[in-house]
Amino acid sequence: MSKPKILQPDGNYSFRSYFEFSNDTDEVLAEFDYAFFRKRLQLPRTSNQLDGLDELRQQLEDTIPYVTLSSETAKREILVAPVLSRVAVTCKRLLRIEYPLKVNNLLQGNLDYFIQSERNLVVVEAKRDDLTRGFTQLAVEMIALSMLEDAPNIVYGAVTMGDVWVFGTLEQNLRTITRDITSYTLPDDLAEIVKILVGILE
């Protein structure tokens, strides 16, 4: 028995709409003819010396005890933006925040964070601390990026609650999106998170 379609062809959906769906990630991605997998990803990692990491870790450890991280804005400003700003400076790439993107009426909205290089990187802040729905939104944003002109075969993304980060990849030629089963936490895994983010963009 075939399931009814989730998306209406003449409907209008923002990237945020996909977070609100109660459907499982694989069901949503099937609407775009993508298969969904969960496994341990072999992510790129830079081997270069990274400047400013010790200072950033100290900043996080000094700040976290004195800030209530109960709102999305607080997490964004205290945990997410400092990490991605450091990555942008290291890679000398532009960090775009709330970047508007429209591919069609099914794929449109603002990307929380977007850094462009030979391999594009998009980062979604998971609303309401829901990594599962946050990953669904991330996956749809990666699909949108894969449809842009000159898009690389592999698009990388991360979904974060601020203190927890999970990575994902989209492979166009295989029509697959994979969620890493490993997660990384701040501030303990700061070096690992930054090495991966820089490795993707190098």
Side-chain angles (χ1 to χ4, degrees):
M1 188 175 81
S2 64
K3 279 196 161 189
K5 298 284 281 181
I6 298 168
L7 303 177
Q8 304 306 314
D10 54 351
N12 260 307
Y13 300 91
S14 70
F15 297 132
R16 179 70 190 258
S17 306
Y18 294 93
F19 179 88
E20 303 297 342
F21 286 168
S22 57
N23 305 79
D24 290 336
T25 305
D26 64 309
E27 294 178 319
V28 175
L29 299 187
E31 298 276 309
F32 297 98
D33 295 321
Y34 268 85
F36 175 60
F37 298 98
R38 273 183 290 235
K39 66 179 184 183
R40 196 175 301 282
L41 287 172
Q42 298 301 313
L43 294 161
R45 282 173 174 77
T46 186
S47 54
N48 294 335
Q49 180 69 35
L50 295 172
D51 295 329
L53 269 191
D54 291 339
E55 293 86 344
L56 180 54
R57 177 182 281 105
Q58 195 60 54
Q59 176 192 327
L60 291 171
E61 292 191 359
D62 289 348
T63 309
I64 288 169
Y66 298 104
V67 179
T68 56
L69 296 170
S70 51
S71 74
E72 290 165 18
T73 305
K75 289 173 188 169
R76 177 175 288 217
E77 292 184 9
I78 301 300
L79 297 174
V80 184
V83 172
L84 293 177
S85 301
R86 170 51 41 198
V87 169
V89 170
T90 301
C91 296
K92 297 184 170 43
R93 296 282 179 182
L94 207 55
L95 169 61
R96 301 184 189 276
I97 301 173
E98 291 292 324
Y99 182 64
L101 176 66
K102 178 166 183 175
V103 175
N104 54 42
N105 63 325
L106 302 180
L107 296 167
Q108 59 185 332
N110 291 338
L111 308 178
D112 289 352
Y113 302 95
F114 178 51
I115 304 179
Q116 221 166 349
S117 75
E118 286 71 29
R119 294 194 286 214
N120 294 331
L121 171 70
V122 60
V123 177
V124 167
E125 186 199 350
K127 314 300 181 275
R128 302 196 291 274
D129 286 347
D130 191 329
L131 278 176
T132 300
R133 290 188 180 193
F135 192 90
T136 302
Q137 179 181 337
L138 171 69
V140 172
E141 291 183 9
M142 290 196 293
I143 290 171
L145 288 172
S146 76
M147 295 170 75
L148 299 180
E149 201 176 338
D150 300 329
N153 178 50
I154 299 180
V155 177
Y156 290 88
V159 59
T160 178
M161 299 190 309
D163 54 347
V164 180
W165 292 63
V166 174
F167 288 90
T169 59
L170 173 150
E171 293 186 66
Q172 277 200 74
N173 58 347
L174 300 175
R175 307 284 302 175
T176 59
I177 291 174
T178 305
R179 174 178 169 165
D180 196 359
I181 59 172
T182 306
S183 58
Y184 302 86
T185 58
L186 283 177
D188 293 351
D189 298 327
L190 172 65
E192 199 66 10
I193 292 168
V194 173
K195 279 181 183 174
I196 293 169
L197 293 169
V198 172
I200 289 168
L201 294 166
E202 277 180 340

